[in-house]
């Protein structure tokens, strides 16, 4: 589309899907990678919180005993 075109959102969506298939697949793959990375980051964060929830009272008891 020409740079000067005042295209609607619908025009842009249609243009996107008319573009070479590799462009659409690449965009979807990028979104998929981002979703998976956020899922992994969230799981790691929850694992860290679980470890702290278990070890926190043990550390407190150890520190109180010394």
């Amino acid at each position: 589309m020409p740079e000067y075109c005042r295209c609607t959102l619908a025009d842009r969506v249609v243009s996107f899907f008319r573009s070479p298939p590799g462009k659409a697949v690449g965009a979807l793959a990028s979104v998929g990678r981002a979703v998976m990375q956020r899922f992994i980051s969230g799981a790691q964060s929850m694992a860290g919180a679980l470890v702290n929830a278990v070890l926190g009272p043990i550390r407190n008891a150890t520190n109180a005993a010394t």
Side-chain angles (χ1 to χ4, degrees), residues 35-58:
V35 168
M36 286 305 298
Q37 185 58 50
R38 288 185 179 169
F39 176 77
I40 291 168
S41 295
Q44 288 173 336
S45 175
M46 292 304 294
L50 177 62
V51 168
N52 288 333
V54 171
L55 295 181
I58 295 170

